[in-house]
């Protein structure tokens, strides 16, 4: 019988190259509860870039379906967002932030960080697009940021980056609905 421990997850997530999610979907299916999730999320901060990227992918996929598993790790996610992260982990962290139950101070802090990520042209386009999407998701939680968000959209649209403009177009369509 397979033991759902961190070492087994790490073995499944290791190897290959950064263009592949490897066995992250298999790991998603192996996580059966909080204990498994707790083991998996530790790997998001692993020294092996491939393991960290794939663990972040698996954590994000699981958290979308069951955000309660992520709740216990809010301090880690918030702390990680304020530290340098590899881009492949950063874009998943951006997707996790709106899934957290944030108090007013945390919401302000995450808003600032995500804005920085979205505006920083040195970030990958995927990081920037995911930060933009996370900000949009946070405006649903706190509509007070709508004006700031609209200014951000206008500023980023002027950069004329196709992937960013495509997300802005999608967001604007969702704002109308």
């Amino acid at each position: 019988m397979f033991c759902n421990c961190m070492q087994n997850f790490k073995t499944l997530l290791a190897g290959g190259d950064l263009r592949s999610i490897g066995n992250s979907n298999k790991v998603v299916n192996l996580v059966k509860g909080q204990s498994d999730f707790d083991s998996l999320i530790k790997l998001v901060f692993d020294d092996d870039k491939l393991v960290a990227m794939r663990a972040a992918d698996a954590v994000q996929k699981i958290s979308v379906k069951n955000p309660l598993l992520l709740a216990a790790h809010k301090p880690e996610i918030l702390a990680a967002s304020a530290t340098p992260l590899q881009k492949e982990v950063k874009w998943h962290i951006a997707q996790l932030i709106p899934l957290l139950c944030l108090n007013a101070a945390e919401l302000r802090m995450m808003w600032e960080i995500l804005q920085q990520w979205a505006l920083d042209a040195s970030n990958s386009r995927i990081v920037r697009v995911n930060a933009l999407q996370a900000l949009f998701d946070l405006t649903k939680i706190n509509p007070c940021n709508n004006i700031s968000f609209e200014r951000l959209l206008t500023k980023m649209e002027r950069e004329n980056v196709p992937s960013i403009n495509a997300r802005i177009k999608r967001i604007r369509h969702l704002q109308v609905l």
Side-chain angles (χ1 to χ4, degrees), residues 62-167:
I62 294 164
S63 298
V64 165
K65 292 181 180 177
N66 192 350
L68 291 177
L69 293 174
L70 185 64
H73 299 280
K74 180 170 87 167
E76 296 160 73
I77 300 299
L78 298 181
S81 68
T83 63
L85 296 166
Q86 73 183 62
K87 65 184 175 186
E88 295 86 2
V89 170
K90 196 183 242 188
W91 78 57
H92 290 293
I93 295 289
Q95 294 173 311
L96 293 175
I97 291 169
L99 300 175
L100 297 169
C101 183
L102 302 171
N103 65 36
E106 293 164 340
L107 188 59
R108 280 190 302 277
M109 180 178 77
M110 290 300 97
W111 186 267
E112 290 303 316
I113 288 170
L114 289 167
Q115 270 191 309
Q116 290 170 6
W117 290 2
L119 289 169
D120 185 352
S122 70
N123 275 325
S124 77
R125 290 181 180 165
I126 298 172
V127 168
R128 296 181 75 199
V129 164
N130 286 349
L132 194 58
Q133 182 65 48
L135 288 164
F136 173 66
D137 294 342
L138 290 177
T139 63
K140 296 176 198 169
I141 297 167
N142 184 8
C144 295
N145 288 324
N146 284 345
I147 293 170
S148 172
F149 184 65
E150 191 55 43
R151 280 191 225 125
L152 176 72
L153 290 178
T154 302
K155 184 174 186 173
M156 291 184 74
E157 205 167 31
R158 287 188 202 124
E159 292 180 38
N160 204 26
V161 176
S163 58
I164 292 172
N165 284 350
R167 182 56 55 104

